[in-house]
Amino acid sequence: DVVLTQSPLSLPVTLGQPASISCRSSQSLVYIDGKTYLTWFHQRPGQSPRRLIYEVSTRDSGVPDRFSGSGSGTDFTLKISRVEAEDLGLYYCMQGSHWPPNFGQGTRLEIK
Amino acid sequence: QVQLVESGGGLVKPGGSQRLSCAASGFNFSDYYMSWIRQAPGKGLEWLAYISGNGHTIYYADSVKGRFTISRDNAKASLFLQMHSLRVEDTALYYCARQYGGYPLNDAFDIWGQGTMVTVSS
């Protein structure tokens, strides 16, 4: 199975400052159709996950443009240009290119 | 609005059974594949199973294959997870989530329910 490794596992941030989360895959996530099925989710404390970004860099409707996704092959990054209080919580990457689909272990974004 | 609401969780003894439900509203349920995903206390997310819109295509994670059964009733816009031979390690918050299409998961889990807690303990 593909292993997704997120780093860091904990990310203390100052509000208004940028933040970056890495997701590395044990295998290339490029599917045979040439697309890459890497998705990012955010989970606030006590809430369900919310999808932010799919296919590496496509933001979901309603997701602020301070969130951006990038990467290719095995290395992917979620960036927040200026962290706001509502951004705190857990972030997960997920791959859908290989069977079975699976998630990274999560990165906790917290206030420094 | 688009919504998923899970129910059916509770306390069950090891070896027991439980049936979870997920009621969908605000979208054409039969157009979408659906998945069950769980989150053990303090842990990450684990995909468990998905079912196609017409119910004909079903896949399971190895961890639940042979013990859990996913099904749906499109007339009632409902998704189900029948769980048998439950183990302590099945204790988790169980979510249903919507996906557009099956493998590869290119447009998956855009909508999640609030989850229903299953606790397996003697």
Side-chain angles (χ1 to χ4, degrees):
Chain A
D1 293 1
V2 169
V3 176
L4 297 178
T5 303
Q6 291 184 227
S7 62
L9 297 183
S10 177
L11 181 56
V13 296
T14 301
L15 295 180
Q17 294 301 303
S20 180
I21 299 170
S22 169
C23 177
R24 288 187 171 160
S25 174
S26 59
Q27 300 178 38
S28 173
L29 297 184
V30 180
Y31 189 63
I32 55 174
D33 62 4
K35 296 184 178 181
T36 302
Y37 299 117
L38 189 284
T39 303
W40 288 97
F41 298 90
H42 175 216
Q43 186 177 33
R44 296 188 179 111
Q47 295 189 15
S48 308
R50 173 198 182 195
R51 195 177 75 179
L52 297 175
I53 287 171
Y54 60 98
E55 290 187 32
V56 180
S57 59
T58 303
R59 264 194 313 274
D60 270 278
S61 175
V63 174
D65 61 7
R66 64 179 181 275
F67 289 92
S68 63
S70 63
S72 63
T74 61
D75 288 349
F76 304 91
T77 302
L78 175 70
K79 291 182 179 177
I80 309 172
S81 58
R82 295 173 307 278
V83 172
E84 298 188 7
E86 64 182 15
D87 302 336
L88 304 180
L90 284 160
Y91 289 83
Y92 294 94
C93 57
M94 185 206 77
Q95 68 83 20
S97 299
H98 295 277
W99 193 261
N102 61 312
F103 296 84
Q105 72 270 57
T107 293
R108 185 175 299 279
L109 189 72
E110 52 195 20
I111 291 185
K112 188 180 293 184
Chain B
Q1 75 278 23
V2 175
Q3 193 173 11
L4 298 170
V5 178
E6 301 92 338
S7 61
L11 177 63
V12 59
K13 288 183 166 46
S17 299
Q18 196 82 348
R19 187 184 193 226
L20 306 182
S21 300
C22 168
S25 59
F27 64 99
N28 193 350
F29 184 66
S30 61
D31 283 347
Y32 290 84
Y33 284 56
M34 297 293 295
S35 273
W36 286 99
I37 297 163
R38 69 183 177 186
Q39 187 170 33
K43 302 295 185 182
L45 299 165
E46 180 187 13
W47 172 82
L48 300 178
Y50 81 55
I51 185 169
S52 60
N54 60 14
H56 293 170
T57 301
I58 290 173
Y59 286 101
Y60 297 98
D62 286 346
S63 59
V64 303
K65 196 178 299 182
R67 299 190 300 125
F68 290 11
T69 301
I70 189 172
S71 63
R72 65 191 296 159
D73 182 340
N74 286 342
K76 296 182 179 179
S78 294
L79 175 74
F80 306 101
L81 186 68
Q82 178 67 57
M83 305 184 293
H84 294 295
S85 304
L86 283 163
R87 307 165 180 166
V88 170
E89 55 266 34
D90 293 319
T91 295
L93 187 60
Y94 284 74
Y95 296 103
C96 59
R98 188 178 81 167
Q99 62 190 81
Y100 192 77
Y103 176 72
L105 299 189
N106 59 328
D107 189 359
F109 314 150
D110 63 330
I111 303 295
W112 297 62
Q114 84 290 350
T116 187
M117 186 68 197
V118 174
T119 302
V120 184
S121 174
S122 54

